[in-house]
Amino acid sequence: MITLHDLQFTPYLSEKKIIKAIDQLSYRLNNDLSDKKPLFIGVLNGAFMFASEIVKRFDYDCEVSFVKVASYDGTETTSQVKELIGLQQDVKNRTVVILEDIIDTGNTVEKLHNIFKDQKCKAIKVATLFFKPQSYTKEFDIEYKGIEISNQFIIGYGLDYKGLGRNLTDIYQLKQKTMTNLVLFGPPGAGKGTQATVLKQKYNLVHISTGDVFRYNIKNATELGTLAKSYIDKGQLVPDEVTINMLHAEVDKNPEAKGFIFDGFPRTEAQADALAVLLNSKDTEVSAMVALDVDDEILVHRLLKRGETSGRPDDADENVIRNRIKVYYDETAILKKYYQKQKKYFGVDGVGTENEITQRLSDVINTL
Ligand code: AMP
């Protein structure tokens, strides 16, 4: 993978494949134009490498020139094509071969085609290294197409992103944005569940609360529920193997997810490692750990209050609450370091109104 400015690109086509396509185009150009003394016109800047390879392979008399137009601004094709500069030859009665690096919508090549038509060329032919059939909107036929590609943005072999990448001899494509996977972190009572409910809507993510899944299983007296209950009632952690398997199953239930909010997971380093492996197998990763910082006494107060209505036995007993907080500091808090090492840890003040805290979390998420 390579980075140019703010974007990342992954390998897409090797130089070997490009050369093969150029060889095939050249074979046809030699066959078709051997007695035509063509004027090859490369469209700068992108076509300089392609033009050079085509001209090197042409075995008969020919002339070479370059013109410049601009149709790209960043990664978006702009419909506005600027003026043509640099054409000095008289093209009247000549066979002109326009050499393009890439034809996308066809705006640039249409403009060139019209300019040469006005100048009474004998024939106007177009050869392009890359062609995007899904974007092309014009009527006239592109006679020589090297490699057809779908709609991705590519760089290398003369093509650039904001000026960089032209020197690469392979072609790279823009890396698609991967999923946003948040680990919502903080001690029991920090407000992870409340905030996750808001954030999942706002960012279109799937919320997985391991505590909720365990409670659902306890309520429905499943095998998993029975296994987890003894630990949960004492405020201890459910063993890693059980929790990790359960999380795998929950993630696999959502193959179309744009990303996940993990709430209450990972709680141990083994779980964090397992999460990295799981997400890696799906070609993604943890985007950030966002942590809610709340003072212990506020947590105890909040959880006792929640216990009045939540029906959760582990919220009803102050000793169990204090044990959960202790377990958090003894076993879970180390994960702060784990994600800090990866530069993925973001701490947020968890005291304030619900909206204020959502805003603080969003400020972090929006930078990812
Ligand atoms: P919570 O709703 O996140 O406070 O979780 C309630 C209880 O479920 C915890 O006190 C643990 O007993 C258990 N639990 C939830 N998530 C995990 C996890 N990732 N690892 C182990 N136990 C967990």
Side-chain angles (χ1 to χ4, degrees):
M1 195 175 66
I2 56 162
T3 302
L4 300 178
H5 298 292
D6 54 329
L7 296 182
Q8 291 176 326
F9 297 84
T10 51
Y12 179 52
L13 289 168
S14 67
E15 185 177 11
K16 208 169 143 199
K17 282 207 177 111
I18 299 166
I19 293 297
K20 195 172 160 208
I22 292 175
D23 283 340
Q24 285 167 354
L25 284 179
S26 295
Y27 178 80
R28 289 177 54 208
L29 288 165
N30 273 309
N31 269 346
D32 298 350
L33 307 176
S34 57
D35 56 353
K36 302 279 191 291
K37 230 188 240 185
L39 169 59
F40 288 108
I41 298 184
V43 183
L44 291 174
N45 293 330
F48 73 95
M49 272 200 200
F50 175 55
S52 155
E53 297 305 320
I54 289 287
V55 171
K56 277 195 264 177
R57 287 166 176 74
F58 194 72
D59 299 329
Y60 308 95
D61 281 355
C62 65
E63 286 181 50
V64 187
S65 185
F66 287 90
V67 293
K68 194 159 183 170
V69 287
S71 68
Y72 268 92
D73 180 41
T75 57
E76 298 290 322
T77 305
T78 54
S79 50
Q80 196 63 37
V81 175
K82 293 182 196 152
E83 280 312 292
L84 174 73
I85 41 176
L87 186 69
Q88 268 131 22
Q89 276 91 342
D90 182 6
V91 294
K92 195 171 169 199
N93 291 325
R94 299 292 307 268
T95 295
V96 165
V97 184
I98 298 169
L99 298 176
E100 269 280 26
D101 46 342
I102 185 163
I103 294 181
D104 193 304
T105 60
N107 286 335
T108 307
V109 81
E110 181 182 59
K111 170 113 182 172
L112 287 169
H113 192 268
N114 289 340
I115 290 170
F116 290 123
K117 216 162 105 189
D118 288 347
Q119 300 196 18
K120 313 235 164 1
C121 301
K122 185 156 66 184
I124 309 163
K125 296 174 180 294
V126 178
T128 184
L129 179 54
F130 297 105
F131 182 65
K132 289 186 176 178
Q134 289 152 2
S135 307
Y136 190 65
T137 56
K138 309 298 174 195
E139 292 291 308
F140 68 87
D141 187 41
I142 308 296
E143 202 172 337
Y144 302 97
K145 295 187 277 251
I147 299 172
E148 293 200 356
I149 60 170
S150 49
N151 251 333
Q152 63 269 61
F153 182 74
I154 58 169
I155 51 122
Y157 214 84
L159 289 98
D160 74 312
Y161 168 57
K162 292 189 185 167
L164 296 183
R166 295 193 195 278
N167 54 327
L168 301 165
T169 50
D170 293 333
I171 290 286
Y172 293 76
Q173 65 176 323
L174 183 62
K175 193 171 178 234
Q176 300 304 318
K177 183 157 171 35
T178 48
M179 302 197 292
T180 302
N181 299 305
L182 305 174
V183 172
L184 200 51
F185 193 63
K192 301 188 293 288
T194 310
Q195 290 298 329
T197 309
V198 182
L199 295 175
K200 75 170 179 188
Q201 297 275 3
K202 188 165 174 181
Y203 294 98
N204 191 18
L205 303 172
V206 172
H207 173 205
I208 298 178
S209 156
T210 41
D212 284 350
V213 179
F214 282 135
R215 281 185 288 277
Y216 176 85
N217 278 277
I218 291 170
K219 204 170 135 208
N220 291 286
T222 65
E223 205 179 319
L224 175 67
T226 315
L227 193 66
K229 190 173 178 350
S230 57
Y231 298 97
I232 293 179
D233 285 349
K234 287 182 242 145
Q236 296 167 351
L237 295 186
V238 177
D240 280 338
E241 200 194 326
V242 177
T243 311
I244 291 167
N245 286 341
M246 186 266 269
L247 185 94
H248 266 243
E250 290 300 311
V251 167
D252 285 345
K253 279 183 198 164
N254 296 282
E256 302 296 326
K258 299 247 181 310
F260 293 92
I261 300 177
F262 298 104
D263 161 10
F265 189 95
R267 267 172 150 104
T268 63
E269 204 161 320
Q271 291 181 14
D273 287 341
L275 183 61
V277 171
L278 174 66
L279 293 179
N280 192 26
S281 75
K282 301 189 185 302
D283 220 12
T284 184
E285 60 183 2
V286 168
S287 316
M289 167 182 266
V290 266
L292 293 168
D293 298 323
V294 180
D295 188 74
D296 289 359
E297 291 314 307
I298 299 178
L299 295 174
V300 175
H301 180 74
R302 276 190 192 173
L303 289 173
L304 281 170
K305 186 119 191 76
R306 184 171 80 183
E308 289 169 12
T309 52
S310 70
R312 281 177 58 167
D314 61 346
D315 282 349
D317 179 335
E318 185 167 338
N319 287 330
V320 174
I321 289 175
R322 290 201 182 272
N323 191 44
R324 284 161 63 200
I325 296 172
K326 184 177 181 308
V327 167
Y328 171 79
Y329 287 112
D330 289 351
E331 301 184 41
T332 304
I334 45 150
L335 291 181
K336 176 175 173 177
K337 278 213 184 92
Y338 183 97
Y339 288 104
Q340 264 173 340
K341 257 196 225 148
Q342 302 177 17
K343 300 200 174 12
K344 289 181 177 172
Y345 178 87
F346 301 88
V348 159
D349 181 2
V351 183
T353 66
E354 201 179 306
N355 283 343
E356 279 166 357
I357 297 165
T358 306
Q359 191 52 51
R360 287 172 206 154
L361 292 169
S362 301
D363 288 345
V364 171
I365 296 166
N366 293 339
T367 64
L368 299 177

